[in-house]
DNA sequence: CTGGGTGTTTTTGTATCCAATAATGGCCGC
DNA sequence: GCGGCCATTATTGGATACAAAAACACCCAG
């Protein structure tokens, strides 16, 4: 299947299309850590030359999504227990700090907005629309992190890390208990923000993400 | 000057040589945030083709050292007050967490080693050998972080961030007061490790790096 | 004098080609 | 039959060629 077969992506730089294509394949788990990623092979499959493929691969490597394999070429970075834990822990630390920063600059109008998102997610959970729960949870974090988008590096790190674990979240949020725990966590976060207690904010967010980590580890290997 | 003019680097992949060359130029401040980095231009200067130059540039971009400029090409990422603060704050958070992790796994033999490094740095400070102070301080942190090198992503993030602010540290450690403050910070870190108090460890490291941030900001704009 | 538009020039993006290098498989000696 | 060595081949790294796009400058109209 050529990349260009997806028409909505047409017109933009090939290298970006290849990059996004591969990234999606990796993050959704369609590309497993066993497969060898050869430049020529990928180029052929995607119907482009090796040049943009190489650049995409290098970028993915820099992001830590793929690694040089034992033979030649790259392989998808593992989702071993350690890898997953590491990523969630980093998220916990960075986003915990971010919430501390946010607590100092947030206003009532934001808080109302967050509560609304949680309410809607809870309604969706009652109605068993789990996909909607997932979306609303994602939006909760996205909206939150928008508030530190001026801290460019911090923001980029957080967004990157979140993408890298998104697929585990999806699994967790399929289960009612997982979704329940997540929503409770979000409630606590909003509460901590209400209280404007920076330490509490940081701790709460860390706990929330650690919980997500536990859920993810459950899903991976039970 | 061709890259290959430096013979010790000969034999290794061109792209890496270019990458390291540019990185050094940036981190030491020889390449200022005003200059436009054109592929062709760089390729000519370095005596290589555009291909490895591009790959190096992309990698540097992924690391956040350069950014797409307003016109075409890349520019060195700014060292505005905000940028510098952001980097130091991220360091504070990540390394604070790292010290927490380390406190749970460290043994007496390590602690002795750290104290030795500080002692030697203090001696160097007395003797006014500031370059040696700088080296020993660097080794202090390096040795420390080795202890979390199994947490691959965390480790990479920390190492990257440290490199990005290294040049400001160099300035700080030229002054006796800056060096003094730094060594005191290190003493406190070792003390916290001795006490095996995770919370204290994290707090202490954060404070230490925040102090470094203040020193750096002083140096930048007084 | 100013703004818009067009032609020119630079610079970047992609493809292809050649060289270097690592993996592979077979062959020979032991 | 096993292990090491060389030839073969697959695959990546680098250079070059060509296409597309963006910046630039110039000219003309208002």
């Amino acid at each position: 299947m050529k990349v260009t077969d997806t028409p909505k992506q047409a017109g933009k730089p090939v290298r970006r299309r290849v990059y996004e294509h591969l990234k999606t394949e990796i993050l959704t788990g369609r590309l497993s850590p066993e497969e060898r990623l050869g430049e020529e092979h990928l180029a052929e499959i995607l119907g482009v030359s090796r040049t943009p493929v190489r650049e995409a691969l290098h970028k993915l490597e820099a992001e830590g999504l793929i690694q040089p394999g034992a033979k030649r070429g790259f392989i998808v970075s593992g989702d071993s227990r350690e890898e997953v834990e590491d990523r969630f822990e980093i998220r916990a630390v960075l986003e915990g700090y971010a919430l501390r920063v946010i607590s100092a600059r947030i206003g009532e109008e934001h808080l109302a907005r967050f509560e609304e998102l949680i309410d809607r997610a809870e309604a969706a959970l009652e109605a068993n629309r789990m996909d909607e729960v997932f979306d609303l949870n994602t939006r909760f974090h996205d909206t939150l992190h928008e508030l530190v988008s001026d801290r460019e590096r911090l923001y980029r790190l957080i967004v990157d890390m979140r993408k890298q674990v998104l697929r585990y979240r999806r699994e967790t949020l399929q289960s009612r208990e997982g979704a329940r725990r997540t929503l409770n966590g979000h409630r606590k976060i909003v509460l901590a923000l209400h209280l404007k207690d920076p330490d509490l904010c940081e701790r709460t967010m860390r706990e929330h993400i650690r919980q997500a980590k536990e859920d993810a580890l459950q899903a991976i290997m039970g």
Side-chain angles (χ1 to χ4, degrees), chain A:
Chain A
M1 175 197 63
K2 292 190 177 189
V3 167
T4 49
D5 286 353
T6 311
K8 63 168 181 176
Q9 295 180 332
K12 280 298 156 196
V14 177
R15 131 175 61 103
R16 168 103 100 293
R17 294 211 308 274
V18 173
Y19 165 77
E20 281 164 7
H21 175 79
L22 289 175
K23 186 159 181 174
T24 305
E25 296 285 299
I26 293 169
L27 294 180
T28 57
R30 280 197 288 275
L31 229 46
S32 70
E34 284 80 45
E35 333 214 14
R36 264 187 77 257
L37 303 172
E39 298 177 0
E40 192 132 63
H41 179 227
L42 290 172
E44 187 172 6
I45 288 181
L46 300 173
V48 300
S49 88
R50 276 177 51 214
T51 310
V53 172
R54 285 178 57 174
E55 305 198 336
L57 287 176
H58 285 310
K59 197 165 177 190
L60 291 168
E61 185 199 9
E63 285 182 43
L65 281 168
I66 62 178
Q67 298 172 320
K71 297 190 271 284
R72 281 184 148 202
F74 290 98
I75 54 173
V76 177
S77 291
D79 50 357
S80 68
R81 183 192 175 83
E82 286 74 24
E83 288 265 350
V84 174
E85 272 197 83
D86 202 9
R87 291 178 217 217
F88 271 105
E89 285 291 329
I90 292 171
R91 272 193 64 196
V93 169
L94 289 177
E95 296 188 37
Y97 168 68
L99 199 68
R100 167 185 290 274
V101 172
I102 288 167
S103 75
R105 39 166 90 168
I106 197 170
E108 290 301 324
E109 66 288 5
H110 289 299
L111 286 171
R113 173 134 183 66
F114 291 133
E115 270 167 355
E116 184 215 330
L117 282 171
I118 302 176
D119 289 341
R120 287 171 59 191
E122 231 147 36
L125 173 57
E126 292 312 314
N128 232 351
R129 298 193 300 272
M130 302 314 273
D131 281 1
E132 197 179 336
V133 175
F134 178 80
D135 283 344
L136 287 165
N137 274 301
T138 303
R139 275 177 60 190
F140 179 82
H141 280 275
D142 286 350
T143 310
L144 206 48
H145 297 136
E146 281 295 323
L147 294 171
V148 287
S149 58
D150 57 313
R151 301 280 301 267
E152 280 187 51
R153 277 186 167 61
L154 178 63
Y155 181 70
R156 268 185 54 185
L157 282 179
I158 289 176
V159 171
D160 271 10
M161 279 294 155
R162 293 202 73 235
K163 279 191 190 144
Q164 292 192 25
V165 297
L166 209 56
R167 65 169 146 149
Y168 305 115
R169 293 301 294 154
R170 186 155 245 135
E171 290 185 39
T172 297
L173 291 174
Q174 287 303 343
S175 84
R176 296 185 64 80
E177 315 86 64
R180 183 83 265 148
R181 270 196 297 277
T182 299
L183 289 180
N184 285 343
H186 289 186
R187 288 262 184 241
K188 283 189 199 161
I189 286 168
V190 173
L191 175 60
L193 285 172
H194 255 300
L195 297 175
K196 290 213 179 292
D197 179 335
D199 288 332
L200 178 63
C201 280
E202 178 156 13
R203 264 204 316 276
T204 305
M205 181 60 96
R206 280 200 188 186
E207 273 165 30
H208 174 57
I209 297 180
R210 289 230 167 82
Q211 180 62 59
K213 177 185 78 171
E214 296 304 328
D215 287 340
L217 291 177
Q218 282 294 328
I220 292 178
M221 20 132 284

